[in-house]
Amino acid sequence: MLLLITPAALLMALFQVLPIAIGANASFRDWALNNPKKTWVGLSHYIDVITDPAFLQVVLPNTFLFMAVSVAGALAIGLCLALVLNRGFRGQKLVQTMLLLPLMVAPVIAAIMMRWMFNDQFGIVNVVLEAIGIEGQPWMAQRWSAFGVILLTDIWLWTPWFMLLLLAGLQSLPKEPFEAAAIDGTTSWRVFRYLTLPMLRPVIVVCVVIRSIDAFRTFDIVWTLTGGGPARSTELFSLYAYVHAFLNLDFGKGSAAAIVGAVIILVVGLLLYRLMDRVMKV
């Protein structure tokens, strides 16, 4: 048995455990890529990160806001679509296939597409608005409009993922409780509230926790759409660590930021799992 898992264990050790160990070691050293002294500085980088006003006032609020809105939006829309597809209708397979198309689009490609659509000079969104008499907006030049485009892109990409998993969960539920409710003449809302939602709780909790952890480390669509701008106003945690490590060439501080983020998302993931488990039981 041990021989069978040895290749996978070696790959994980070389490409996951070892880089994490190197990054953790770098976070305690003066490790600038243009002048790698590698002198021990202890917790200095960690103190710089957790006391940085940009990190506390912009990066963390943006990251948690993005995580909450994107996960909640994709979950709500995905659940609605799953409920519709679970009923069955003519052309269901075709509609389901079309709804799954965003899963086949790379996030960077989707971000480029959205950036062109919301371009303030010749984007299709402003063209449509001006055609109906509404003045076009500089979407990517303002903080909240740019943040909204980021959220829209992420929700569009991840809604099919929620829909697919929730639809699988709905189709695995036992039929007897729903048949009994139909015989009793229970309304659709009460069936959803007291039967569907409680029985679907384990799937929803797992989906939300996994997606929240993934949303916390989102990098590609934000970097492609705004690069954290305008003026760092849409910067998320992953961009913060990237900028310090690979643009400012401060590998020590970038590694410290990554470790801080890992600790934060570990704590948030555990708390979120317990919170979701309690909320879904109410």
Side-chain angles (χ1 to χ4, degrees):
M1 180 180 65
L2 294 177
L3 289 176
L4 290 174
I5 66 173
T6 297
L10 287 175
L11 286 175
M12 290 187 64
L14 288 174
F15 295 102
Q16 292 190 8
V17 178
L18 184 60
I20 291 174
I22 294 173
N25 176 54
S27 68
F28 295 102
R29 298 180 180 275
D30 183 11
W31 197 329
L33 295 182
N34 57 349
N35 186 20
K37 300 176 183 178
K38 300 184 182 180
T39 54
W40 186 268
V41 294
L43 298 175
S44 176
H45 291 314
Y46 290 92
I47 295 172
D48 289 343
V49 170
I50 63 177
T51 58
D52 185 356
F55 183 75
L56 297 175
Q57 299 172 16
V58 178
V59 174
L60 280 185
N62 280 352
T63 303
F64 284 116
L65 178 63
F66 172 83
M67 183 174 66
V69 177
S70 64
V71 172
L75 172 64
I77 301 172
L79 180 57
C80 292
L81 293 174
L83 290 170
V84 172
L85 291 174
N86 192 47
R87 289 180 174 272
F89 53 88
R90 181 176 295 181
Q92 175 187 355
K93 296 300 181 182
L94 176 61
V95 173
Q96 184 173 331
T97 302
M98 293 178 63
L99 291 174
L100 291 175
L101 287 177
L103 285 177
M104 306 174 191
V105 180
V108 172
I109 300 301
I112 293 173
M113 178 183 69
M114 288 290 185
R115 189 175 65 186
W116 282 103
M117 288 176 62
F118 285 90
N119 185 280
D120 58 342
Q121 295 182 7
F122 39 77
I124 187 63
V125 174
N126 276 354
V127 170
V128 172
L129 290 177
E130 291 170 0
I132 61 177
I134 302 176
E135 184 179 358
Q137 299 295 320
W139 301 99
M140 310 308 293
Q142 300 173 358
R143 178 185 183 182
W144 293 114
S145 58
F147 202 80
V149 174
I150 293 171
L151 287 170
L152 177 63
T153 306
D154 192 76
I155 291 173
W156 181 76
L157 284 169
W158 283 96
T159 292
W161 183 80
F162 276 103
M163 180 195 73
L164 191 63
L165 295 182
L166 294 174
L167 179 60
L170 287 170
Q171 293 178 347
S172 67
L173 298 180
K175 305 296 183 183
E176 291 80 6
F178 298 95
E179 293 173 353
I183 293 172
D184 291 339
T186 308
T187 62
S188 299
W189 168 248
R190 292 177 66 86
V191 171
F192 173 75
R193 173 67 180 83
Y194 296 105
L195 286 179
T196 306
L197 208 55
M199 288 193 289
L200 204 60
R201 176 178 59 85
V203 179
I204 294 176
V205 170
V206 171
C207 287
V208 168
V209 173
I210 292 176
R211 176 62 194 128
S212 297
I213 294 173
D214 188 72
F216 187 88
R217 62 185 185 87
T218 297
F219 174 83
D220 41 14
I221 64 173
V222 184
W223 183 255
T224 305
L225 277 168
T226 66
R232 301 185 69 178
S233 60
T234 61
E235 187 172 326
L236 303 185
F237 160 75
S238 55
L239 271 74
Y240 180 85
Y242 175 84
V243 166
H244 280 294
F246 299 108
L247 294 187
N248 298 343
L249 302 181
D250 191 345
F251 192 45
K253 189 171 182 180
S255 298
I259 298 296
V260 169
V263 173
I264 291 174
I265 195 55
L266 176 63
V267 174
V268 170
L270 293 174
L271 293 176
L272 186 62
Y273 182 83
R274 293 187 178 183
L275 177 63
M276 286 295 299
D277 194 49
R278 290 182 180 180
V279 168
M280 295 302 294
K281 287 180 179 179
V282 176

